Amino acid sequence: MIDVLVVDDDFRVAEINAKYVGKVPGFRVAARAHSAAQALATVQRGSIDLVLLDHYLPDGTGLELVHRMREQGHGTDVIMITAAGDVTTVQTAMRLGALHYLVKPFTFAALRTRLDSYAALRRTVDRVGGRGVAGQEQVDRIFSALRTTPVPSSPGLPTGHSEPTTDLICTVLHRADHPLSAHEVAAETGLSRSTAQRYLRHLEQAGRLRLSLKYGDTGRPEHRYAWVAP
């Protein structure tokens, strides 16, 4: 099993990310941290293989944390999961050795793709490492293990639909443990009910959501939507 430390200052987001990790075979959440100090202390105790790291923390940045980890000799692998999308932050993360960089909001499928490629990297390194010295073919195999295939958010989006909004709605449905109505999705995302309904209808027609009807005592039945696993 690959032991993961989930780091995010938002307790709710950390819980969501932890649930996502728990759905991927071969991975388990060993700990959660909500500050750089908590995260560093956890890494120092050992047994963490991978850190899913937010950049914006109450007592510093995620990149500052990675820098401190490297200074102290901790080679723990890092995948950045953050809303910080500026090029400078991305470049710095690369230079500090972050293996992937996932920009919020994201879907479960996007995170799983990164985790699967990370697991493939570890398997490849283990196989090659047994030979002591890696030739060019083995080196190429190690580097190619981290490549990911982009996960399409929603092919063929209708006019007026945006990919970020589609991804946001998909994320809400993905993490829900029961079908949601358009009103509930709107409340979770901050969208208007009519906008949420428009996106939900498209996603249901595209086969990404399952529609069910909830009948009350009177009036029309309520449409409820559930995520359809790929």
Side-chain angles (χ1 to χ4, degrees), residues 168 172 184-193:
L168 178 61
V172 168
E184 290 170 324
V185 171
E188 286 281 334
T189 59
L191 300 169
S192 68
R193 185 185 182 283

Side-chain angles (χ1 to χ4, degrees), residues 14-24 29 32 108 175:
E15 182 63 25
I16 292 170
N17 291 349
K19 287 182 178 179
Y20 278 178
V21 172
K23 293 180 179 180
V24 182
V29 177
R32 299 174 182 79
F108 168 68
R175 72 190 184 207

Side-chain angles (χ1 to χ4, degrees), residues 110-123:
L111 176 59
R112 176 163 189 167
T113 298
R114 273 71 177 178
L115 294 180
D116 285 343
S117 73
Y118 174 71
L121 171 66
R122 288 173 61 95
R123 291 193 297 269

Side-chain angles (χ1 to χ4, degrees), residues 16-153:
I16 292 170
N17 291 349
K19 287 182 178 179
Y20 278 178
V21 172
K23 293 180 179 180
V24 182
F27 290 82
R28 64 186 173 193
V29 177
R32 299 174 182 79
H34 308 291
S35 69
Q38 288 178 347
L40 184 59
T42 304
V43 170
Q44 289 171 337
R45 288 194 293 270
S47 78
I48 297 297
D49 300 306
L50 175 66
V51 180
L52 299 186
L53 182 59
D54 188 17
H55 182 57
Y56 300 117
L57 299 172
D59 53 347
T61 68
L63 295 184
E64 290 170 347
L65 170 60
V66 178
H67 184 68
R68 288 198 293 272
M69 288 167 51
R70 301 304 182 236
E71 281 186 331
Q72 295 181 13
H74 300 294
T76 310
D77 294 320
V78 173
I79 294 178
M80 299 295 296
I81 298 183
T82 176
D86 60 282
V87 175
T88 299
T89 301
V90 175
Q91 287 180 325
T92 304
M94 292 174 62
R95 289 167 182 154
L96 288 173
L99 298 179
H100 281 298
Y101 197 106
L102 195 55
V103 179
K104 298 176 181 177
F106 58 91
T107 63
F108 168 68
L111 176 59
R112 176 163 189 167
T113 298
R114 273 71 177 178
L115 294 180
D116 285 343
S117 73
Y118 174 71
L121 171 66
R122 288 173 61 95
R123 291 193 297 269
T124 302
V125 170
D126 287 343
R127 288 197 299 268
V128 174
R131 304 176 185 177
V133 178
Q136 187 61 55
E137 181 182 350
Q138 286 75 37
V139 171
D140 290 342
R141 194 173 301 161
I142 291 172
F143 274 85
S144 65
L146 273 178
R147 294 175 187 161
T148 61
T149 302
V151 179
S153 60

Side-chain angles (χ1 to χ4, degrees), residues 105 157 160-171 189 191 195-196 198-199 203:
L157 285 177
H161 286 226
S162 72
E163 290 196 7
T165 301
T166 301
D167 282 345
L168 178 61
I169 290 177
C170 287
T171 299
T189 59
L191 300 169
T195 298
R198 185 157 44 90
Y199 278 82
L203 290 168

